[in-house]
């Protein structure tokens, strides 16, 4: 049975939602793995050679999260490349799906930045660490 356009759109919306959460926490749940697998299947079903790098990167990201080790540089690099390539692939989407693919590209790029910046301190976290260490 083929997926309907609405099913694709719901899947895209769900993936954007997961990307806006804490990815390490999400990776510990089955939801992220399932979303990545459905996304891989959707891209393969499209039979578009232009989408091949997306499939490869998604499989690598899925395997990385599945390994239980979270290398921020690897995750950030994959998410950034997925964001860029997903945004470019939006031209292949039709109707109401296209803005969702564009939004997914933006969410992937934002998630890459979030992962990359997650180990950087902020003034608030520095103050909190200072006050905790002075007690």
């Amino acid at each position: 049975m083929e997926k309907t356009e609405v099913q694709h759109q719901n899947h895209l919306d769900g993936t954007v939602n997961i990307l806006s959460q804490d990815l390490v926490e999400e990776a510990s749940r089955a939801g992220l793995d399932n979303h990545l697998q459905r996304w891989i299947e959707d891209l393969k079903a499209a039979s578009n050679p232009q989408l091949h790098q997306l499939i490869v990167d998604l499989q690598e990201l899925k395997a990385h999260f599945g390994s239980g080790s979270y290398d921020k540089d690897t995750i950030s690099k994959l998410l950034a490349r997925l964001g860029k390539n997903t945004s470019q692939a939006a031209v292949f989407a039709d109707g109401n799906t296209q803005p969702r693919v564009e939004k997914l590209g933006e969410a992937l790029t934002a998630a890459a930045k979030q992962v990359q910046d997650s180990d950087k301190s902020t003034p608030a976290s520095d103050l909190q660490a200072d006050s905790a260490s002075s007690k």
Side-chain angles (χ1 to χ4, degrees):
M1 182 166 71
E2 275 193 48
K3 283 189 177 178
T4 67
E5 196 67 18
V6 172
Q7 287 172 314
H8 286 298
Q9 292 169 5
N10 287 337
H11 179 229
L12 288 167
D13 292 343
T15 304
V16 169
N17 184 48
I18 283 179
L19 287 168
S20 66
Q21 309 297 318
D22 179 342
L23 286 179
V24 173
E25 185 179 321
E26 290 297 323
S28 68
R29 300 182 186 140
L32 180 62
D33 189 70
N34 291 339
H35 271 279
L36 292 175
Q37 185 58 43
R38 278 187 293 205
W39 190 9
I40 290 165
E41 290 168 8
D42 287 350
L43 290 173
K44 284 181 177 179
S47 297
N48 182 336
Q50 300 285 353
L51 304 177
H52 178 72
Q53 188 61 50
L54 281 170
I55 295 167
V56 170
D57 287 344
L58 282 168
Q59 289 171 328
E60 187 176 340
L61 186 64
K62 182 176 182 272
H64 188 77
F65 278 132
S67 73
S69 66
Y70 305 115
D71 179 342
K72 288 182 182 184
D73 290 335
T74 300
I75 294 169
S76 180
K77 178 186 76 167
L78 287 168
L79 289 172
R81 193 164 57 211
L82 282 164
K84 177 182 172 220
N85 291 338
T86 299
S87 293
Q88 291 173 346
V91 299
F92 300 116
D94 298 320
N96 290 331
T97 302
Q98 187 169 16
R100 285 176 163 91
V101 174
E102 291 167 351
K103 188 173 182 179
L104 178 58
E106 292 167 9
L108 286 160
T109 301
K113 184 166 175 35
Q114 175 196 1
V115 168
Q116 194 62 44
D117 292 345
S118 66
D119 58 351
K120 294 182 181 158
S121 62
T122 63
S125 68
D126 288 344
L127 281 172
Q128 189 174 14
D130 289 345
S131 65
S133 65
S134 65
K135 290 181 181 178

